[in-house]
Amino acid sequence: MPDWILSLLQLLALPEVGLSTVFVVAFLSATLLPMGSEPAVFALIKISPELFWPVILVATAGNTLGGGLSWAMGLGAHKVVDQARHRSTPNPRALRWLERFGPKACLMSWLPIVGDPLCAVAGWLKFPFWPCLAYMAIGKFARYLTMTGALLWVFPGGLPF
């Protein structure tokens, strides 16, 4: 691994930049990259319990903005396909049921496996950006709060290793 990557990883592991690390990890995990941000969120809260609410809010912000990026990529992909075909691309039949829900479907962006692609599909379907982002934020905040609370309940004294 290149030295600059190792240096960056060491910098992001420092407790004084823990919130920024949570933001970056949450942002990246909301894109189509196969990773999760919950371990970073839980670890920082276990190290610094007084940061519970800031960590939850920063993770929500990062994950929501990452979902917004996925939305933009979905919209961009639709535009590229339309330009390549020289006409408007009809939505696949499998996605028509999603159109009934509109931006509210982004409440489900917190779900594992399907949540991140759902944000891109919302962009593909040209759902309005700001309502989608608001629904993403609500869903992602609820997920972080629930997941972190559950992990703290299951592992109150720390992890057994």
Side-chain angles (χ1 to χ4, degrees), residues 18-148:
L19 286 174
S20 59
T21 301
V22 165
F23 181 87
V24 169
V25 170
F27 180 87
L28 292 175
S29 71
T31 63
L32 299 176
L33 294 174
M35 61 186 290
S37 56
E38 288 80 6
V41 169
F42 182 64
L44 185 56
I45 290 174
K46 287 304 283 183
I47 291 170
S48 304
E50 70 280 2
L51 292 177
F52 179 85
W53 287 110
V55 170
I56 297 295
L57 294 174
V58 165
T60 299
N63 212 248
T64 301
L65 291 175
L69 176 64
S70 293
W71 180 95
M73 292 188 317
L75 178 65
H78 195 147
K79 288 181 178 181
V80 166
V81 169
D82 284 351
Q83 287 176 349
R85 297 179 85 200
H86 303 294
R87 65 179 191 273
S88 182
T89 305
N91 291 329
R93 198 167 117 203
L95 296 181
R96 289 191 194 136
W97 68 269
L98 193 59
E99 289 180 317
R100 288 183 299 156
F101 297 104
K104 291 178 185 171
C106 291
L107 274 172
M108 305 314 272
S109 65
W110 65 271
L111 288 170
I113 301 170
V114 298
D116 297 333
L118 179 64
C119 297
V121 169
W124 175 273
L125 294 174
K126 299 179 182 176
F127 290 167
F129 179 74
W130 293 112
C132 285
L133 202 67
Y135 284 115
M136 283 180 218
I138 293 166
K140 290 169 183 290
F141 174 78
R143 179 192 74 204
Y144 280 117
L145 190 60
T146 304
M147 293 284 289
T148 305

